[in-house]
Amino acid sequence: QSCWGNFKTKVSGVLDASELAPLFRLRGSVIPKAMCWAVPSGGLSIALQYAFAVLEVDEMTESWSRVSQVWSSFTFILGVLIVFRTNQAYARFWEGATLLQQVRGEWYNASSS
């Protein structure tokens, strides 16, 4: 089946069950592993929010601004590192693709002469 086989259905917005089935498949999915981290973190954050609301923690607002500055710095450094690693991976990919094209050209030249 070609890419354009279901063009009419995709344009009209009508999907059948066979097209949606891969979205709800857990086998081979990262969702269960992500939930192992997300559910406890979410539960902890809800518990902390509730505890702060019950205890009425207002005297800690000055220290929260310090925590906010540390968090902003951490987020900035993490963002820079992610961009750096992504750019390195992109450069490695294109270097490999270029070398592969060179090898392909060499083999073509060798086989055609």
Side-chain angles (χ1 to χ4, degrees), residues 66-79:
R66 179 95 173 131
V67 169
S68 177
Q69 290 173 349
V70 171
W71 182 254
S72 296
S73 301
F74 172 73
T75 305
F76 175 75
I77 292 169
L78 186 65

Side-chain angles (χ1 to χ4, degrees), residues 45-91:
S45 67
I46 290 171
L48 287 173
Q49 282 292 95
Y50 180 72
F52 287 153
V54 169
L55 297 175
E56 297 177 0
V57 183
D58 289 332
E59 58 272 355
M60 292 181 65
T61 53
E62 289 180 19
S63 66
W64 284 114
S65 67
R66 179 95 173 131
V67 169
S68 177
Q69 290 173 349
V70 171
W71 182 254
S72 296
S73 301
F74 172 73
T75 305
F76 175 75
I77 292 169
L78 186 65
V80 168
L81 289 174
I82 288 173
V83 167
F84 175 73
R85 285 182 54 105
T86 303
N87 284 337
Q88 261 190 329
Y90 187 73

Side-chain angles (χ1 to χ4, degrees), residues 6 8 10 31-32 37 45 58-59 71 76 78 81 84 90 94-95 99 104 113:
N6 292 343
K8 186 176 180 184
K10 291 179 182 178
I31 292 175
W37 288 95
S45 67
D58 289 332
E59 58 272 355
W71 182 254
F76 175 75
L78 186 65
L81 289 174
F84 175 73
Y90 187 73
W94 279 112
E95 182 183 8
L99 290 173
R104 182 176 167 236
S113 58

